[in-house]
Amino acid sequence: MQWVDPFDLMRVCTLAIFGFWSVRGYWRTFQLVRRLERVAGIAGMPSRLVRVLVLKYALRVTIFDPVNLALLLAAMTLWAGLFSARFDLS
């Protein structure tokens, strides 16, 4: 009987979780931007300004936040080691 390689399983699970939450986040952000553009249009603001403000906010709470950046770098370091690790378990 052939067993699934645990490292391949971990890679697939990690990438599936990442993909699901990324697509969900992008979709919800897209919906938020459309809703804010409608409200901004009523107030007379250009839709481009809304998109720029949402992009700046998203960058501030993800990439430019020191705690998030540290966690992201730690996760990338751990995942890089996990994805490149290969042990002979036979």
Side-chain angles (χ1 to χ4, degrees):
M1 181 159 104
Q2 185 75 18
W3 290 94
V4 175
D5 183 24
F7 292 102
D8 290 338
L9 179 64
M10 185 58 67
R11 289 180 189 114
V12 168
C13 289
T14 301
L15 293 174
I17 291 169
F18 169 76
F20 172 78
W21 287 109
S22 295
V23 168
R24 185 173 184 266
Y26 294 141
W27 178 251
R28 290 178 59 128
T29 302
F30 176 72
Q31 289 177 330
L32 173 68
V33 168
R34 284 189 5 195
R35 194 168 42 243
L36 289 175
E37 283 177 342
R38 283 195 301 267
V39 171
I42 294 170
M45 292 174 57
S47 60
R48 183 174 176 353
L49 177 63
V50 172
R51 282 185 247 126
V52 168
L53 291 175
V54 169
L55 177 64
K56 284 182 181 179
Y57 176 75
L59 289 174
R60 282 186 194 130
V61 298
T62 55
I63 304 288
F64 298 133
D65 179 36
V67 174
N68 270 348
L69 183 59
L71 289 172
L72 179 65
L73 292 175
M76 288 172 52
T77 302
L78 290 173
W79 287 341
L82 177 67
F83 285 175
S84 65
R86 191 52 86 167
F87 298 111
D88 186 18
L89 299 175
S90 51

